[in-house]
Amino acid sequence: MSTTAPIRRTTTPQIRARKGGDPIVSLTSYHAHTAAIVDKYADFILVGDSLGMVMHGMDSTVGVPLDLMIMHGRAVVRGTKRALIVVDMPFGSYEESPNMAFRNAATVMKETGCGAIKLEGGARMAETIHFLVQRGIPVMAHIGLTPQSSHVMGGFKTQGRDEDTWDAHIADAVAVAQAGAFAVVVEGVVEPLADKITAAVEIPTIGIGASRNCDGQILVLEDMLGLNPWVPKFVKKYGALGPMIEQAVSDYAGEVRDRSFPGDDQVYR
C-alpha cells in the first residue's frame, strides 16, 4: 500500500492567502511538455492569449478565438499536476455582458479542467467579475497595460508615466478586488504606481513590467528562455534557446546533406 500523499493542485484561495507573504511564481505555458517543466516550480501557470503572438504569428492578441484557448488549456492541464492553471478569456468572449462572460467562462472551465480564468479590465469589468465569482467562476483580473485594448491605447505603451492617471489605475485595482477577483495582474506600469496598487488592495498583485514589490511575478516563458529575438525591457532572458535551436537545426541539415546522418547508431540492423 502506497504511503505517498497525493499531489494536490494549488487553489485560488491558497493564492489569495499569499498576499504579503512569500512571492508568487508564475509563467505562461501553452504546451503539455513545457507545462510539465514549469509545474515543478510555479504556483500558477497562465495559458495566456499571448499564444496568438508567440505561437501563431499574430500581430496582437485580438484575433485569438475561444476554441484556441480551450485547446491549449487542455494541453497544459494534461501536462501538470500541482500548479493552479489559469486560462485567459480572449477578446470578444466576455465584454458584451456578464451573461455572455459566464457562458464562455463556464465552457472554458468545463472543457479544459482549469482552476480559474483571467480577464482584462478594471472598474469597467467589476460587475462582470462579481457576476462570475457569485456563480462559481474564480477570476484573476488584469489592469494597467491591457494588450486586448492595444488599439485603443495606441499600442503597447507603459502606463502611469503621467502621475495624473495614477488614481484611475488604483481605482481599477480596488474595483476588481472588491468585485471578488482573487488576484490581479499589473502589467506595464511605472514602478511607484505598481507599489501603490499593491499597497491599496488586499489581493495579490502579479507584476509583469511593474515592481519587485508586487506579491508575485509572471513572464512569457518563450521570452525568458530567449526564443524570441525581441522582448520588452521588463523581460530578463534566463536562457538562449533561440540560438541553440538554430545551431542544432543547422547541424542536422549539414549532416543530412553530407549523408553522415543517420549514422550506425540511428539505423536498425
Side-chain angles (χ1 to χ4, degrees):
M1 182 176 178
S2 174
T3 58
T4 303
I7 298 174
R8 299 187 184 278
R9 285 195 184 274
T10 301
T11 64
T12 55
Q14 287 173 324
I15 296 293
R16 170 67 178 79
R18 294 276 289 276
K19 175 67 180 180
D22 292 337
I24 299 164
V25 178
S26 179
L27 285 165
T28 66
S29 182
Y30 320 118
H31 336 78
H33 59 284
T34 56
I37 297 170
V38 175
D39 190 47
K40 300 174 184 178
Y41 306 98
D43 298 302
F44 77 87
I45 296 173
L46 175 65
V47 185
D49 60 357
S50 50
L51 64 85
M53 302 172 73
V54 173
M55 294 192 63
H56 297 277
M58 298 179 181
D59 292 332
S60 74
T61 61
V62 173
V64 176
L66 189 65
D67 58 357
L68 195 62
M69 296 306 305
I70 290 172
M71 181 181 71
H72 286 282
R74 286 172 178 161
V76 171
V77 170
R78 291 190 200 107
T80 56
K81 296 179 180 179
R82 57 170 301 278
L84 171 70
I85 308 302
V86 182
V87 176
D88 258 339
M89 297 297 291
F91 178 73
S93 68
Y94 61 92
E95 297 91 339
E96 182 179 318
S97 69
N99 284 312
M100 177 194 190
F102 175 78
R103 287 193 299 272
N104 287 326
T107 297
V108 168
M109 294 196 70
K110 287 192 293 185
E111 296 197 16
T112 67
C114 70
I117 59 93
K118 180 174 77 64
L119 54 78
E120 294 183 5
R124 65 184 175 83
M125 295 309 303
E127 178 187 358
T128 294
I129 292 171
H130 179 75
F131 189 90
L132 295 179
V133 172
Q134 290 296 306
R135 287 156 180 79
I137 306 287
V139 178
M140 178 176 288
H142 184 155
I143 65 169
L145 195 168
T146 48
Q148 292 176 10
S149 304
S150 60
H151 292 304
V152 174
M153 292 181 169
F156 297 94
K157 295 183 177 181
T158 303
Q159 302 296 297
R161 292 197 184 279
D162 181 353
E163 196 168 339
D164 290 341
T165 68
W166 286 16
D167 286 347
H169 289 294
I170 294 169
D172 278 340
V174 171
V176 299
Q178 291 178 344
F182 70 91
V184 56
V185 171
V186 180
E187 180 172 358
V189 303
V190 296
E191 184 178 45
L193 172 57
D195 292 343
K196 286 184 175 295
I197 289 171
T198 298
V201 296
E202 297 182 354
I203 60 174
T205 54
I206 310 299
I208 176 168
S211 169
R212 73 187 69 186
N213 295 318
C214 289
D215 298 293
Q217 302 293 331
I218 187 169
L219 285 176
V220 172
L221 180 64
E222 284 77 1
D223 287 349
M224 59 90 74
L225 290 178
L227 279 168
N228 295 324
W230 178 88
V231 295
K233 174 186 176 179
F234 58 75
V235 174
K236 179 178 179 179
K237 290 187 178 181
Y238 288 84
L241 295 194
M244 290 177 62
I245 292 172
E246 183 170 354
Q247 184 62 57
V249 172
S250 174
D251 292 346
Y252 164 73
E255 291 188 7
V256 169
R257 291 186 176 115
D258 67 17
R259 295 191 182 278
S260 60
F261 176 83
D264 290 342
D265 293 339
Q266 289 88 42
V267 295
Y268 299 99
R269 302 295 182 186

